[in-house]
Amino acid sequence: MKYMIMTFGSAEAGVEAMGREWMLEMVQFMRALDKDLRKAGELVDAQGLADGSQAKTVRFEHGIPVPTDGPFAEAKESLVGYWIVDVESEQRAIEIASKIVAFVKQPIEVRRVMDAPPDF
Amino acid sequence: MLREQAPQVLGALVRRYGQFDACEDAVQEALLGAARQWPKEGVPDNPRSWLLTVASRRLVDQWRSDSARRRREETAAALEVPAEGPPSEQDDTLTLLFLCCHPSLSVPSQLALTLRAVGGLTTAEIASAFLVPETTMAQRISRAKERVRSTGATFSMPPASERGDRLRVVLHVLYLVFNEGYTTSSGPELNRADLTTEAIRLARMLHEIVPEEGEVGGLLALMLLTDARRDARSTADGSIVPLDEQRRELWNSSQIEEGVALLTRTLGKVPVGPYQLQAAIAAVHDEAGSAEETDWPQILALYEVLERVSPGPVVTLNRAVALAMVNGPRAGLALLGTLDGDDRMAHNHRLEAVRAHLLERAGDLAAARDSYRKAARMTASIPEQRYLALKAARLVD
């Protein structure tokens, strides 16, 4: 079963606020985590996204799609990056997310990918 | 078929050299070589000895490299080669199945290793069936083999006292492979349908090896009787067609016949197990000329036995469906109520889906709509979500 593990944040709360030391530690942490997941044969995909300030949102206005600057959600936080893992259970996905949370000390969302066979 | 040779070649190799993971890699390479070469140059007179020769050569090549030799020396001590004379090829295949479904492995690893070492599928094929990158699948398989090695498991039959439990794990793995492939639509999911075919092939092979094991026959019958409805259970666009609306002329009658015959031979011979009972239930459905002719009292009786043999909330849920067909929807709903406090069902969408269906039949349409919506939010299957959401939409007043 596949899960998407998502981190959210904003430019202010990220790189700029945390300082150099933390940055370097984080890079190492993320590399180690990716390596572990890869070695376990659980990693499907992992990507970091460009800062939300660089996002475009395409809206439906006056009957046509119109691109505008900025992220979709009005909230300060937007999607920063994600992992897609293929694991034995939800418990294992939560275990992976917990490792990340223990390091970043920010909440993380774990969502099931709709890959189950139908049950009929 | 080329892949049929895989477990036998691997078995012979492991008995000779005693190193499961290296031998397995060598066999995989030999199979890939055969898939490249044979279509061009023709199938050799003795395919098995061709594969055995090529695989042995790969193994020796690999051992020539220093690091590999060192590892061989380290692991040679850990791996015991059974000393007795060559067992039959069938024993080899069974031993392999036990090893690939070793209880120390995670379920995804058991599936992957079984499909490669026993099924002879390539890493790329397994990766594409499970929709993960090939490197991920390669890593999963190699980690699984490492794990098998580190537990000290040997290429030998488990002791008689453990055999029942170990066989149950093997059957569960084959069942999961089948289930993984039992999706609805065509297109990119075609690969998954191949998993169904592969699960049936492996179950058939296992049944030939241990015909005396009733549950093996039961599982094979269950697969045949369920897969027989494949063409009828979804439309061309991948939408689900529920059992009572399926066009029964699309059911595969020869597969049903085979499943029923198998079940008849199996039942009554041994203490009855859950796969046999589920197969018997599938057979009752398959043998009904129309949904209305379904022998629900018989299905209810079978679920009652199943609940005694292998109790659990999912069995109770299914019994509630049968009970509703025999005694009316309210009787089914009352039984569903007993599952409400069950933690194991708290995240199971089927409880809500069945409740929705029974509420609809009882005429409580507003409550039915709410339950369909709730079930649609809980499922992790896209076709099912669509089906449930449409059911709810149809009930909007």
Side-chain angles (χ1 to χ4, degrees), chain B residues 373-396:
Chain B
R373 282 184 180 155
K374 200 170 162 199
R377 283 196 296 271
M378 287 166 83
T379 176
S381 152
I382 288 175
E384 201 164 72
Q385 187 186 50
R386 213 178 292 149
Y387 172 82
L388 293 165
L390 278 171
K391 280 285 204 183
R394 218 172 29 85
L395 291 179
V396 168

Side-chain angles (χ1 to χ4, degrees), chain A residues 2 38 41 43 116 119-120, chain B residues 130 136 139-140 350 380 384:
Chain A
K2 298 194 183 84
R38 226 177 276 283
L43 189 65
D119 209 9
F120 279 72
Chain B
F130 288 96
T136 299
Q139 202 51 52
R140 189 177 297 175
R350 278 205 64 211
E384 201 164 72

Side-chain angles (χ1 to χ4, degrees), chain A residues 2-3 9-10 15-16 20 25 42 44 49 58 76 79 89 93-94 108 115 118:
Chain A
K2 298 194 183 84
Y3 286 85
S10 64
V15 179
E16 293 148 41
R20 185 174 168 275
E25 271 176 47
E42 292 176 321
V44 178
L49 304 182
V58 183
K76 282 184 198 143
L79 188 63
S89 60
I94 288 174
I108 279 202
D115 66 342

Side-chain angles (χ1 to χ4, degrees), chain B residues 323-335:
Chain B
L323 187 65
M325 294 308 288
V326 177
N327 291 340
R330 291 286 164 200
L333 285 164
L335 183 54

Side-chain angles (χ1 to χ4, degrees), chain B residues 5 55-56 69 96 103 117 129 131 142 175 251 262 267 286 296 347 357 362 371 392 395:
Chain B
Q5 310 283 342
S56 304
R69 193 180 308 141
L96 259 187
L131 305 170
S142 101
Y175 177 76
W251 289 0
L262 186 62
L267 278 174
D286 286 2
W296 283 104
H347 296 286
H357 179 67
S371 281
L395 291 179

Side-chain angles (χ1 to χ4, degrees), chain B residues 218-241:
Chain B
L219 177 62
L220 176 57
L222 175 62
M223 289 177 174
L224 290 167
L225 292 164
T226 309
D227 186 56
R229 302 183 211 125
R230 187 203 285 191
D231 291 343
R233 69 191 286 278
S234 64
T235 59
D237 67 358
S239 304
I240 290 173
V241 182

Side-chain angles (χ1 to χ4, degrees), chain B residues 129-303:
Chain B
F130 288 96
L131 305 170
V132 300
E134 190 178 339
T135 50
T136 299
M137 194 48 80
Q139 202 51 52
R140 189 177 297 175
I141 289 165
S142 101
R143 171 67 69 94
K145 289 194 286 187
E146 238 169 69
R147 175 109 205 178
V148 167
R149 196 173 60 226
S150 71
T151 57
T154 56
F155 186 74
S156 56
M157 203 63 96
S161 61
E162 288 172 24
R163 228 179 103 147
D165 286 338
R166 297 288 299 274
L167 188 63
R168 257 190 294 283
V169 180
V170 171
L171 292 180
H172 185 60
V173 165
L174 297 184
Y175 177 76
L176 288 176
V177 171
F178 178 82
N179 214 30
E180 222 21 82
Y182 196 49
T183 49
T184 47
S185 79
S186 55
E189 282 158 86
L190 258 186
N191 283 315
R192 311 195 113 203
D194 291 347
L195 285 181
T196 309
T197 314
E198 183 60 13
I200 291 175
R201 186 179 77 84
L202 293 177
R204 204 187 285 282
M205 192 179 75
L206 183 58
H207 175 63
E208 277 163 25
I209 299 172
V210 285
E212 72 284 2
E213 294 283 354
E215 278 292 86
V216 177
L219 177 62
L220 176 57
L222 175 62
M223 289 177 174
L224 290 167
L225 292 164
T226 309
D227 186 56
R229 302 183 211 125
R230 187 203 285 191
D231 291 343
R233 69 191 286 278
S234 64
T235 59
D237 67 358
S239 304
I240 290 173
V241 182
L243 191 56
D244 59 343
E245 292 169 25
Q246 288 176 15
R247 289 172 50 204
R248 294 182 181 224
E249 72 274 16
L250 295 179
W251 289 0
N252 184 331
S253 53
S254 67
Q255 223 169 297
I256 293 173
E257 252 170 62
E258 190 192 349
V260 169
L262 186 62
L263 197 58
T264 315
R265 283 201 303 278
T266 313
L267 278 174
K269 216 160 99 184
V270 275
V272 72
Y275 288 120
Q276 288 156 282
L277 287 165
Q278 290 176 76
I281 292 162
V284 177
H285 282 298
D286 286 2
E287 287 182 311
S290 66
E292 295 71 37
E293 288 167 67
T294 307
D295 186 352
W296 283 104
Q298 172 76 1
I299 290 176
L300 179 58
L302 285 165
Y303 273 123

